[in-house]
């Protein structure tokens, strides 16, 4: 069943992630369109939403010649097939991938990035790095894990994962051995906040945690007090909490699966003062049926506030969950202006 409010908001945003989930019928023109159609928006009173083109045509509407809404289903099938191919041990290059799903390479490259937030090549690298991470947890030797993940050799693995893992493969295998993390606990208006950072950026921002919690997350890293550089980052984190509308652009050192990173990227796109539902986030990353997985990825965020998982709420307007307490989530939203409408509920 189509939620009319969510559908209309998607139309107003011209949100391409909703293409294929429903079509917009315009009674005054007699046509139906994709949610992302670039045509001028009709008056809300003249709009009806349909599950697909067939349902719209049954009422006498015809397909828009500008946005070609009946092609949206074809795009979804092609994307699903492409994702399966890219998760294989030997993912094809763009030309082979596009040919396999029946699109021109340049067109499919744009379609894929629009739907997932990353390029096909980046998605394939992320999937292979994920397999490597799993292999590092089970294989006795790092070299065995590299080949098990599908890499042609260690040099390619180091090249692909250097920026993602933030540690050498052996350090990742051994709970962060060799990594240096500096930390501080500071007072904020939302309570005590832990900020921890590597030389690349903030790797954890949380509330009501201390050094012991950090050691639990990075048991074999070298954990040191904050130095001058880290204190500057901590000051930026405090500013982000106290005045979200002027949140500084702080460096982050986080890594997850391709899906998790796509969710986190989408969270960072939510403007201050706005919220999204778990369903909207799932749809925005090209997985409209993966609402529960989107919630799990939301909860796996290690950098609170800076990756604003607090801006995601349930469809009914209730807050949902939050690792650091619903009261703190409500305060963050109120501070950002997202609660002004009175639609945010603690229930």
């Amino acid at each position: 069943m189509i939620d009319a409010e969510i559908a209309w908001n998607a139309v107003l945003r011209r949100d391409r992630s909703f293409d294929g989930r429903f079509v917009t019928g315009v009674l005054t023109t007699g046509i139906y369109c994709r949610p992302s159609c670039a045509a001028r928006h009709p008056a809300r009173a003249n709009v009806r939403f349909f599950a697909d083109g067939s349902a719209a045509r049954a009422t006498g509407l015809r397909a828009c010649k500008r946005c070609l809404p009946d092609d949206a289903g074809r795009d979804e099938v092609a994307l699903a097939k492409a994702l399966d191919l890219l998760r294989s041990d030997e993912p094809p290059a763009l030309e082979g991938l596009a040919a396999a799903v029946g699109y021109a390479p340049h067109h499919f490259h744009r379609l894929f990035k629009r739907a997932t937030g990353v390029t096909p090549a980046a998605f394939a690298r992320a999937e292979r790095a994920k397999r490597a991470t799993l292999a590092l947890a089970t294989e006795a030797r790092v070299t065995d894990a590299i080949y098990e993940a599908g890499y042609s050799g260690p040099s390619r693995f180091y090249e692909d994962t250097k920026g993602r893992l933030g540690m050498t493969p052996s350090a990742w295998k051994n709970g962060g051995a060799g990594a240096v993390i500096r930390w501080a606990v500071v007072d904020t208006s939302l309570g005590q906040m832990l900020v921890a950072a590597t030389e690349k950026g903030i790797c954890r921002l949380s509330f009501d945690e201390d050094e012991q919690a950090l050691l639990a997350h990075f048991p074999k890293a070298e954990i040191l007090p904050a130095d001058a550089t880290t204190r500057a980052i901590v000051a930026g984190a405090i500013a982000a909490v106290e005045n979200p509308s002027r949140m500084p652009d702080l460096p982050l050192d986080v890594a997850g699966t391709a899906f998790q990173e796509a969710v986190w990227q989408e969270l960072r796109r939510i403007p201050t003062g706005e919220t999204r539902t778990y369903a909207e986030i799932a749809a925005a990353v090209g997985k409209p049926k993966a609402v529960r997985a989107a919630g799990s990825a939301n909860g796996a965020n290690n950098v609170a506030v800076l990756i604003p998982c607090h801006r995601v709420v349930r469809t009914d307007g209730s807050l949902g969950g939050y690792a650091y307490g619903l009261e703190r989530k409500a305060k963050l939203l109120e501070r950002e202006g997202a609660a002004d409408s009175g639609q945010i509920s603690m229930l």
Side-chain angles (χ1 to χ4, degrees):
M1 185 175 180
I2 305 168
D3 185 309
E5 184 177 355
I6 290 176
W8 179 241
N9 286 333
V11 169
L12 293 177
R13 297 195 306 271
R14 293 188 170 89
D15 194 333
R16 294 180 182 274
S17 68
F18 280 80
D19 289 354
R21 297 182 61 192
F22 66 88
V23 296
T24 307
V26 184
L27 304 184
T28 49
T29 61
I31 65 171
Y32 63 91
C33 304
R34 297 178 186 235
S36 65
C37 185
R40 189 174 58 140
H41 288 136
R44 175 65 182 88
N46 299 327
V47 170
R48 299 293 183 273
F49 301 109
F50 301 91
D52 52 32
S54 295
R57 289 193 298 274
T59 66
L61 300 177
R62 58 181 174 80
C64 174
K65 294 182 178 180
R66 181 172 185 175
C67 68
L68 303 175
D70 292 335
D71 286 350
R74 179 190 173 212
D75 291 350
E76 284 193 337
V77 172
L79 284 168
K81 183 176 181 179
L83 290 172
D84 287 339
L85 290 171
L86 291 173
R87 291 189 178 103
S88 66
D89 290 340
E90 296 183 5
L94 176 60
E95 289 74 13
L97 183 69
V101 299
Y103 283 75
H106 66 283
H107 176 67
F108 189 70
H109 187 274
R110 289 198 303 271
L111 171 65
F112 189 94
K113 186 172 183 181
R114 186 177 66 207
T116 66
V118 296
T119 66
F123 184 91
R125 286 195 300 270
E127 287 297 308
R128 188 160 55 178
K130 180 173 66 175
R131 292 197 299 272
T133 302
L134 294 173
L136 285 167
T138 57
E139 295 290 339
R141 297 190 308 162
V142 170
T143 303
D144 293 337
I146 289 172
Y147 287 110
E148 176 68 22
Y151 287 93
S152 57
S155 61
R156 187 58 181 271
F157 174 79
Y158 276 78
E159 179 183 348
D160 272 8
T161 61
K162 181 179 180 181
R164 288 178 50 81
L165 300 180
M167 309 175 190
T168 64
S170 59
W172 186 266
K173 164 76 176 174
N174 292 297
V180 177
I181 298 175
R182 295 185 177 273
W183 68 280
V185 171
V186 293
D187 290 324
T188 73
S189 60
L190 296 179
Q192 289 200 320
M193 180 173 71
L194 169 71
V195 183
T198 67
E199 62 180 7
K200 294 183 178 181
I202 296 173
C203 59
R204 188 161 185 82
L205 190 154
S206 59
F207 294 94
D208 305 327
E209 290 189 341
D210 56 17
E211 184 182 12
Q212 294 305 309
L214 192 61
L215 286 167
H217 285 282
F218 305 98
K220 295 189 178 180
E222 184 178 2
I223 307 295
L224 300 174
D227 58 9
T229 300
T230 312
R231 284 193 290 273
I233 292 177
V234 171
I238 295 173
V241 169
E242 304 298 349
N243 191 350
S245 63
R246 296 185 179 181
M247 185 181 296
D249 186 14
L250 298 172
L252 303 182
D253 186 2
V254 294
T257 66
F259 181 79
Q260 286 175 331
E261 291 186 3
V263 168
W264 298 339
Q265 288 176 7
E266 198 60 37
L267 297 181
R268 299 191 79 186
R269 294 190 183 104
I270 303 174
T272 302
E274 295 185 18
T275 60
R276 299 288 184 269
T277 66
Y278 294 100
E280 287 175 323
I281 293 297
V285 299
K287 297 283 188 178
K289 296 182 179 179
V291 177
R292 181 172 293 182
S296 297
N298 200 61
N301 170 30
N302 283 317
V303 185
V305 182
L306 303 181
I307 297 178
C309 55
H310 61 277
R311 293 177 188 163
V312 185
V313 299
R314 290 177 178 161
T315 304
D316 63 5
S318 62
L319 291 180
Y322 193 57
Y324 308 111
L326 292 184
E327 184 177 355
R328 191 171 272 135
K329 181 174 184 176
K331 286 182 178 178
L332 280 167
L333 291 174
E334 183 178 7
R335 181 168 297 173
E336 295 180 1
D340 287 349
S341 66
Q343 296 181 0
I344 302 299
S345 169
M346 286 285 285
L347 297 178

